[in-house]
Amino acid sequence: MFYDIRKSQPIKVLVTGAAGQIAYSLLYSVAKGDVFGPDQPLVLVMLDITPMMNVLDGVLMELQDCAHPLLREVISTDKEEVAFKDIDVAILVGSMPRKEGMERKDLLKANVKIFKSQGAALDKYAKKTVKVLVVGNPANTNCLIASKSAPSIPKENFSCLTRLDHNRAKAQIALKVGVTAKDVKNVIIWGNHSSTQYPDVNHAKVKVQGKDVGVYEAVKNDNWLKGDFIQTVQQRGAAVIKARKLSSAMSAAKAICDHVRDIWFGTPEGEFISMGVISDGNSYAVPEDLIYSFPVVIKNKTWKFVEGLPINDFSREKMDATAKELTEERETAVEFLSCA
Ligand code: NAX
């Protein structure tokens, strides 16, 4: 039967930082149907700051020229009240980049201001069912600030991106074993999207000759798994910048698509993924009220922690170190929140 997409209701999707390099790949994939499916019409909203409006005009022209059949409308703006109005999904990519000589605290301060304002705009203008993904760094703490500034939207609707780290871990294991990334499942990124993150493969499986085996059994190199593997994933962003002289964009856009698609359609049976979500103090002894990356499964657009995975001493130490960093970030950010 022929399905007429003109009959179905569009969903409204906001991308911030829309004139930037991640958005350039992301907008194309979203408009093409990679995230919400080939039958879902879309209204795309693009927000950036006023000095970038000329660049955004160019992006708008290109999106029009793609002639994607799913695109009902594209709106580009520098005004939050326009950007956040009645949106179903917010992908918050734009943030203040770290400039030369800038202290980490100053970066955090500038971002608290942005995410407090965007959180308030979500609270005021977006649908209460809106799903919010924060990508702009420091992603976990920016996400926490946005959520705290949008009290009428459930905290569970907010998440931050650690899927790129998750995909990097999958890819490293696949390359080592000589299989494809699809043959690797259930890796975990714990904690902060920073170099303290802990990529954990203790519960992951690799399909080798049609059979699922544990990663330690498949790789047969414990030293690599406990050393270089972890550092490679933790430092991958810096390695890409060093080589490309620009930060990860294509892979970041792909990870955003994976993350939002899983929120929309659910995770595959028997698989879990990593995302930064609000900690409740009861899961894996992670302190309450942090946006911390956990293993989750998603069904009916609702995520749940994967519970009961055994944690060894090696993992515990690393999970606690990244929680400590996030706790310190939160303390600094909350201090700025009252004066932002
Ligand atoms: P770009 O500098 O290319 O683009 C950022 C865009 O955001 C710019 O167009 C800028 O004008 C805009 N912007 C700044 N403040 C804004 C505001 N208040 N409202 C709307 N737009 C605003 O950076 P890009 O490479 O696209 O990276 C974007 C963000 O993603 C950075 O913070 C980066 O660190 C972060 N990343 C996060 C990742 C993650 O896994 N969580 C991975 C990729 C990436 O590094």
Side-chain angles (χ1 to χ4, degrees), residues 28-67:
Y28 170 77
S29 296
V30 173
K32 185 164 145 283
D34 288 354
V35 178
F36 301 100
D39 301 326
Q40 177 59 63
L42 300 162
V43 173
L44 266 184
V45 189
M46 308 192 293
L47 175 74
D48 212 295
I49 52 176
T50 311
M52 297 303 280
M53 284 300 107
N54 277 345
V55 177
L56 208 52
D57 280 347
V59 179
L60 174 67
M61 285 189 262
E62 283 212 68
L63 269 174
Q64 289 167 341
D65 298 347
C66 285

Side-chain angles (χ1 to χ4, degrees), residues 107-326:
L107 180 73
L108 209 51
K109 196 173 182 177
N111 279 300
V112 166
K113 204 167 166 205
I114 293 174
F115 286 86
K116 182 184 176 184
S117 171
Q118 294 190 353
L122 278 163
D123 202 55
K124 198 163 172 195
Y125 302 112
K127 288 188 182 161
K128 298 302 169 200
T129 51
V130 64
K131 301 291 184 192
V132 184
L133 166 61
V134 177
V135 178
N137 278 318
N140 300 54
T141 301
N142 287 345
C143 183
L144 186 70
I145 296 300
S147 167
K148 283 187 184 300
S149 308
S152 69
I153 295 167
K155 287 180 187 154
E156 293 73 21
N157 291 20
F158 288 79
S159 58
C160 87
L161 189 76
T162 54
R163 187 61 170 267
L164 176 54
D165 311 296
H166 179 102
N167 287 349
R168 285 166 172 164
K170 269 175 84 155
Q172 286 302 311
I173 299 293
L175 285 167
K176 195 75 171 176
V177 180
V179 295
T180 69
K182 199 174 182 305
D183 296 319
V184 182
K185 64 177 183 187
N186 299 350
V187 300
I188 303 169
I189 302 297
W190 296 101
N192 201 358
H193 169 71
S194 76
S195 57
T196 67
Q197 66 175 261
Y198 169 45
D200 177 2
V201 291
N202 285 297
H203 314 284
K205 298 274 184 241
V206 187
K207 198 180 272 312
V208 184
Q209 289 162 354
K211 212 177 120 210
D212 277 348
V213 295
V215 167
Y216 276 84
E217 190 186 334
V219 170
K220 296 186 182 67
N221 186 341
D222 293 13
N223 282 342
W224 181 78
L225 283 169
K226 289 185 173 164
D228 282 357
F229 161 72
I230 294 176
Q231 273 122 45
T232 301
V233 176
Q234 287 173 333
Q235 303 295 336
R236 189 68 159 184
V240 170
I241 293 176
K242 189 160 178 245
R244 220 171 76 88
K245 314 283 179 271
L246 283 170
S247 59
S248 316
M250 176 173 43
S251 54
K254 159 68 167 56
I256 295 169
C257 292
D258 290 346
H259 180 119
V260 181
R261 193 192 54 242
D262 283 349
I263 289 181
W264 215 249
F265 293 110
T267 43
E269 200 55 43
E271 280 189 38
F272 48 79
I273 51 101
S274 310
M275 61 189 218
V277 291
I278 190 76
S279 57
D280 60 4
N282 298 319
S283 296
Y284 298 102
V286 172
E288 201 181 352
D289 198 32
L290 294 177
I291 296 283
Y292 187 98
S293 181
F294 285 94
V296 301
V297 288
I298 306 169
K299 214 175 178 179
N300 300 327
K301 299 192 173 63
T302 305
W303 59 265
K304 272 199 189 131
F305 293 119
V306 175
E307 297 285 6
L309 298 172
I311 304 296
N312 61 27
D313 290 348
F314 180 84
S315 296
R316 186 74 258 163
E317 196 183 308
K318 294 191 159 17
M319 287 162 68
D320 289 346
T322 190
K324 183 167 178 280
E325 182 184 56
L326 277 172

